[in-house]
Amino acid sequence: VPTIKDVADRAGVHAATASRALNSATRGMVNTRTVTRVLEAAKALGYAPNSAARSLRTRTSSVAGVIIPDLRNPVFPPIVRGIEDGLREAGYMALLGNTDGDVDRERELFDAMRGRQTDGFILATSRRDDELPATVPTVLVNRRTDTGAVPSVTADNDAGVRMLVRLLVELGHSRIGHVAGPRQLSTGWERYRAFVDAVGGAEAVTFAAAFTEEAGFEAALRLLDAHEGLTAIVAGNDLIALGCYAALASRGLRVPDDVSVTGFNDIPFADRQRPGLTTIRIPHYDIGLESARLLLARIANPTAPAKRIVLPVDLVTRGSTGPAKN
Amino acid sequence: VPTIKDVADRAGVHAATASRALNSATRGMVNTRTVTRVLEAAKALGYAPNSAARSLRTRTSSVAGVIIPDLRNPVFPPIVRGIEDGLREAGYMALLGNTDGDVDRERELFDAMRGRQTDGFILATSRRDDELPATVPTVLVNRRTDTGAVPSVTADNDAGVRMLVRLLVELGHSRIGHVAGPRQLSTGWERYRAFVDAVGGAEAVTFAAAFTEEAGFEAALRLLDAHEGLTAIVAGNDLIALGCYAALASRGLRVPDDVSVTGFNDIPFADRQRPGLTTIRIPHYDIGLESARLLLARIANPTAPAKRIVLPVDLVTRGSTGPAKN
DNA sequence: TTGTACGCGTTATCAA
DNA sequence: TTGATAACGCGTACAA
């Protein structure tokens, strides 16, 4: 494997000069003719810089750490894909890690990645009360913290829930319940707050332990037991909504004839459910893309104020919502 | 950020001793008491080794490159998750990249990752005729090459297709068609070969241009136009099967009353389709896990013969298959 | 069992 | 505009 020394020798210059010629930022200080000589030599030898040596010297790596709860949750693949494309625009690559929501594992991963000279982090794992170390550029994606001290890219949870409630009200529903996501997560909390605000009251609400179908099923049963006569349920996200489907079926209730159900996220295959799920489409890919760009901006200028980017959402009406009974 | 020197100073030893104490392979040469002193110092300072320096010195990085077509294809998330867990067992991390099936982009990614001191590669992008450079440890996942020169971990495509054909035959089907995946990919080709072998003839076959719903739809239309009276279709994978659903619907044919349909992979939500898809369950996660382990073995011993691991599959019978019409 | 000395490949600083 | 030199942090022969 050729080193910069080999390139320099072949071009008849010193290694330092070759380095300057090879690096576009410093190329200006080098004679045009020597630049071409160096570039030719590099090409002829198939030279590729040793990034370990470069990282050691410059303390940068062009690698970002991406930490998510679980790639198998269908929200994340398109987000991660967007992140990767955004990073690539600047020659960055993504080091990926899953935590399964385990705080210790997150800490471990974070440290391990930082040890690998990661230039920054994109986290999809944060809880509302997280205190994140301000030592390394970090961006939150999909979720955020209460303080807003860390830059974030999220979907407009508030507007989304309002759209859903408005739709249900227009369909004649007045007894609307909410199976919320976890309180500790901004996604769960913001949607809950928006729901309470939109319907003007917080009676008919239960919280699911996680954004999963199982937790949604369990919380939906609790909701149904505590509140008779609900004609609609706003679920914290699509997976919880599917849990609601199952809970309603187990109680002999039909969707949407007896109870309408809505989700949030519009995950792949939400349209294929039985019935198709009325939900809020969030721009998964763009959320990822923007978070990558925000991180890159952050790396370039770490002291800039923490931006919060909120992307607009769309209502997608499908078969799971219908006119209120009676 | 503390260096090994800081740890050594705090423990009252030389940096070399600290290095030996920190590294489990060389820990044996160090006095037990000094080991604990060093470890305590490291912990107290929150020491994390600088991997750039370590890479420069050892020429290894504990990072593997993982290259896939597109994370948004639902087969890949569980595989990638398995890969990550497998790599983690040995302290490795995954650098992830998507190619969208573009060969140039794959080449680019490969080079960029190699420049970042990647110790090895796991590729889910290979075509049957790929000639892969033998210079760096590489493992193929889900797909393989014809020569078998590169180690691979795949599902048992042959057995899977035979199970499907047997099921259909038992249901009384005799006019069975196949919408195959791309010929250039081992997944498409192996399933096609198994189909031809199992039904004893290759008349009723069309090839989809890609493993997507759209390509499946288009190829299914061609199949239906060329072959009247088919009562069952074996699709190259689940997404193609969903394309078949759409194509059959557009011709006014019902699944499974008029035509039975089968898939391959058992992607998430295959059970939620209308009707639920009869398919072959492949062990996505384990395929990823095993490929990571195989890569690690390969890195440890690059000259060992190229193993081919084929994992068993299961038949999952759902609503898309039924008795043949007369 | 521990310390000394050196080099991995690159780039920043200083001098020429 | 170029060359010489040092330093980034670590691991490992070799010496003690």
mmCIF file of all heavy atoms in Angstrom, chain A residues 60 90 92 119-120 136-139 292-304:
data_model
loop_
_atom_site.group_PDB
_atom_site.id
_atom_site.type_symbol
_atom_site.label_atom_id
_atom_site.label_comp_id
_atom_site.label_asym_id
_atom_site.label_seq_id
_atom_site.Cartn_x
_atom_site.Cartn_y
_atom_site.Cartn_z
ATOM 1 N N THR A 60 -10.077 14.540 13.357
ATOM 2 C CA THR A 60 -11.393 14.397 12.719
ATOM 3 C C THR A 60 -11.379 13.110 11.904
ATOM 4 O O THR A 60 -10.316 12.602 11.544
ATOM 5 C CB THR A 60 -11.720 15.553 11.770
ATOM 6 O OG1 THR A 60 -10.813 15.487 10.664
ATOM 7 C CG2 THR A 60 -11.598 16.890 12.455
ATOM 8 N N ALA A 90 -21.366 15.285 2.229
ATOM 9 C CA ALA A 90 -20.153 15.926 2.724
ATOM 10 C C ALA A 90 -19.020 14.921 2.901
ATOM 11 O O ALA A 90 -18.057 15.194 3.619
ATOM 12 C CB ALA A 90 -20.442 16.638 4.038
ATOM 13 N N TYR A 92 -19.104 12.168 4.474
ATOM 14 C CA TYR A 92 -19.163 11.496 5.765
ATOM 15 C C TYR A 92 -19.798 10.114 5.649
ATOM 16 O O TYR A 92 -20.570 9.842 4.750
ATOM 17 C CB TYR A 92 -19.985 12.336 6.753
ATOM 18 C CG TYR A 92 -19.151 13.314 7.536
ATOM 19 C CD1 TYR A 92 -18.552 14.399 6.911
ATOM 20 C CD2 TYR A 92 -18.952 13.158 8.898
ATOM 21 C CE1 TYR A 92 -17.778 15.298 7.627
ATOM 22 C CE2 TYR A 92 -18.185 14.059 9.623
ATOM 23 C CZ TYR A 92 -17.604 15.125 8.982
ATOM 24 O OH TYR A 92 -16.841 16.003 9.698
ATOM 25 N N ASP A 119 -16.869 12.203 14.643
ATOM 26 C CA ASP A 119 -16.913 13.665 14.646
ATOM 27 C C ASP A 119 -18.185 14.210 15.264
ATOM 28 O O ASP A 119 -18.253 15.379 15.637
ATOM 29 C CB ASP A 119 -16.802 14.207 13.215
ATOM 30 C CG ASP A 119 -15.406 14.022 12.662
ATOM 31 O OD1 ASP A 119 -14.503 13.667 13.436
ATOM 32 O OD2 ASP A 119 -15.226 14.233 11.457
ATOM 33 N N GLY A 120 -19.223 13.394 15.323
ATOM 34 C CA GLY A 120 -20.487 13.879 15.867
ATOM 35 C C GLY A 120 -21.492 12.752 15.963
ATOM 36 O O GLY A 120 -21.217 11.636 15.534
ATOM 37 N N VAL A 136 -19.340 17.059 22.363
ATOM 38 C CA VAL A 136 -19.208 16.627 20.977
ATOM 39 C C VAL A 136 -20.496 16.992 20.226
ATOM 40 O O VAL A 136 -21.593 16.872 20.773
ATOM 41 C CB VAL A 136 -18.914 15.111 20.932
ATOM 42 C CG1 VAL A 136 -19.850 14.331 21.827
ATOM 43 C CG2 VAL A 136 -18.953 14.575 19.522
ATOM 44 N N PRO A 137 -20.354 17.457 18.989
ATOM 45 C CA PRO A 137 -21.533 17.878 18.227
ATOM 46 C C PRO A 137 -22.575 16.770 18.167
ATOM 47 O O PRO A 137 -22.257 15.645 17.820
ATOM 48 C CB PRO A 137 -20.965 18.164 16.835
ATOM 49 C CG PRO A 137 -19.542 18.509 17.069
ATOM 50 C CD PRO A 137 -19.112 17.672 18.246
ATOM 51 N N THR A 138 -23.788 17.107 18.521
ATOM 52 C CA THR A 138 -24.857 16.116 18.584
ATOM 53 C C THR A 138 -26.158 16.708 18.062
ATOM 54 O O THR A 138 -26.451 17.878 18.297
ATOM 55 C CB THR A 138 -25.064 15.657 20.038
ATOM 56 O OG1 THR A 138 -23.851 15.110 20.537
ATOM 57 C CG2 THR A 138 -26.158 14.604 20.130
ATOM 58 N N VAL A 139 -26.906 15.885 17.356
ATOM 59 C CA VAL A 139 -28.215 16.287 16.854
ATOM 60 C C VAL A 139 -29.211 15.194 17.217
ATOM 61 O O VAL A 139 -28.889 14.013 17.130
ATOM 62 C CB VAL A 139 -28.170 16.477 15.321
ATOM 63 C CG1 VAL A 139 -29.563 16.607 14.751
ATOM 64 C CG2 VAL A 139 -27.334 17.687 14.961
ATOM 65 N N ALA A 292 -28.890 15.051 9.280
ATOM 66 C CA ALA A 292 -27.489 14.916 8.858
ATOM 67 C C ALA A 292 -26.916 16.284 8.499
ATOM 68 O O ALA A 292 -25.810 16.637 8.912
ATOM 69 C CB ALA A 292 -27.386 13.971 7.665
ATOM 70 N N ARG A 293 -27.683 17.049 7.758
ATOM 71 C CA ARG A 293 -27.188 18.384 7.369
ATOM 72 C C ARG A 293 -26.987 19.266 8.587
ATOM 73 O O ARG A 293 -26.029 20.032 8.670
ATOM 74 C CB ARG A 293 -28.181 19.025 6.408
ATOM 75 C CG ARG A 293 -28.166 18.360 5.047
ATOM 76 C CD ARG A 293 -29.185 18.980 4.128
ATOM 77 N NE ARG A 293 -29.150 18.351 2.812
ATOM 78 C CZ ARG A 293 -30.147 18.413 1.939
ATOM 79 N NH1 ARG A 293 -31.259 19.071 2.228
ATOM 80 N NH2 ARG A 293 -30.032 17.826 0.755
ATOM 81 N N LEU A 294 -27.908 19.153 9.520
ATOM 82 C CA LEU A 294 -27.788 19.955 10.743
ATOM 83 C C LEU A 294 -26.529 19.559 11.509
ATOM 84 O O LEU A 294 -25.802 20.412 12.011
ATOM 85 C CB LEU A 294 -29.033 19.750 11.603
ATOM 86 C CG LEU A 294 -29.195 20.647 12.822
ATOM 87 C CD1 LEU A 294 -29.108 22.115 12.434
ATOM 88 C CD2 LEU A 294 -30.516 20.373 13.511
ATOM 89 N N LEU A 295 -26.253 18.272 11.553
ATOM 90 C CA LEU A 295 -25.054 17.821 12.248
ATOM 91 C C LEU A 295 -23.803 18.365 11.563
ATOM 92 O O LEU A 295 -22.879 18.843 12.226
ATOM 93 C CB LEU A 295 -24.985 16.294 12.295
ATOM 94 C CG LEU A 295 -23.706 15.764 12.959
ATOM 95 C CD1 LEU A 295 -23.664 16.145 14.433
ATOM 96 C CD2 LEU A 295 -23.573 14.263 12.798
ATOM 97 N N LEU A 296 -23.792 18.300 10.246
ATOM 98 C CA LEU A 296 -22.626 18.790 9.512
ATOM 99 C C LEU A 296 -22.418 20.281 9.767
ATOM 100 O O LEU A 296 -21.287 20.740 9.955
ATOM 101 C CB LEU A 296 -22.805 18.509 8.016
ATOM 102 C CG LEU A 296 -22.806 17.019 7.665
ATOM 103 C CD1 LEU A 296 -23.301 16.777 6.255
ATOM 104 C CD2 LEU A 296 -21.411 16.435 7.838
ATOM 105 N N ALA A 297 -23.516 21.021 9.801
ATOM 106 C CA ALA A 297 -23.421 22.453 10.097
ATOM 107 C C ALA A 297 -22.882 22.654 11.511
ATOM 108 O O ALA A 297 -22.078 23.551 11.774
ATOM 109 C CB ALA A 297 -24.785 23.108 9.956
ATOM 110 N N ARG A 298 -23.335 21.819 12.388
ATOM 111 C CA ARG A 298 -22.929 21.859 13.778
ATOM 112 C C ARG A 298 -21.437 21.567 13.937
ATOM 113 O O ARG A 298 -20.748 22.177 14.748
ATOM 114 C CB ARG A 298 -23.733 20.786 14.516
ATOM 115 C CG ARG A 298 -23.803 20.949 15.975
ATOM 116 C CD ARG A 298 -24.737 22.049 16.361
ATOM 117 N NE ARG A 298 -24.650 22.241 17.788
ATOM 118 C CZ ARG A 298 -24.978 23.345 18.423
ATOM 119 N NH1 ARG A 298 -25.441 24.367 17.745
ATOM 120 N NH2 ARG A 298 -24.849 23.441 19.714
ATOM 121 N N ILE A 299 -20.966 20.610 13.174
ATOM 122 C CA ILE A 299 -19.548 20.265 13.226
ATOM 123 C C ILE A 299 -18.713 21.428 12.696
ATOM 124 O O ILE A 299 -17.671 21.765 13.246
ATOM 125 C CB ILE A 299 -19.274 18.978 12.407
ATOM 126 C CG1 ILE A 299 -19.870 17.763 13.131
ATOM 127 C CG2 ILE A 299 -17.782 18.780 12.197
ATOM 128 C CD1 ILE A 299 -19.860 16.491 12.309
ATOM 129 N N ALA A 300 -19.233 22.044 11.632
ATOM 130 C CA ALA A 300 -18.505 23.172 11.046
ATOM 131 C C ALA A 300 -18.501 24.363 11.997
ATOM 132 O O ALA A 300 -17.527 25.113 12.064
ATOM 133 C CB ALA A 300 -19.138 23.554 9.709
ATOM 134 N N ASN A 301 -19.573 24.528 12.741
ATOM 135 C CA ASN A 301 -19.679 25.673 13.650
ATOM 136 C C ASN A 301 -20.360 25.241 14.949
ATOM 137 O O ASN A 301 -21.554 25.442 15.124
ATOM 138 C CB ASN A 301 -20.474 26.782 12.960
ATOM 139 C CG ASN A 301 -20.546 28.020 13.839
ATOM 140 O OD1 ASN A 301 -19.925 28.071 14.913
ATOM 141 N ND2 ASN A 301 -21.302 29.007 13.395
ATOM 142 N N PRO A 302 -19.564 24.674 15.849
ATOM 143 C CA PRO A 302 -20.121 24.043 17.053
ATOM 144 C C PRO A 302 -20.771 25.030 18.022
ATOM 145 O O PRO A 302 -21.542 24.633 18.879
ATOM 146 C CB PRO A 302 -18.895 23.401 17.715
ATOM 147 C CG PRO A 302 -17.843 23.386 16.665
ATOM 148 C CD PRO A 302 -18.119 24.548 15.781
ATOM 149 N N THR A 303 -20.443 26.307 17.895
ATOM 150 C CA THR A 303 -20.935 27.249 18.896
ATOM 151 C C THR A 303 -22.222 27.953 18.483
ATOM 152 O O THR A 303 -22.795 28.706 19.265
ATOM 153 C CB THR A 303 -19.865 28.316 19.187
ATOM 154 O OG1 THR A 303 -19.527 28.966 17.955
ATOM 155 C CG2 THR A 303 -18.630 27.681 19.790
ATOM 156 N N ALA A 304 -22.670 27.704 17.264
ATOM 157 C CA ALA A 304 -23.915 28.332 16.811
ATOM 158 C C ALA A 304 -25.063 27.893 17.715
ATOM 159 O O ALA A 304 -25.030 26.810 18.282
ATOM 160 C CB ALA A 304 -24.194 27.948 15.366
#
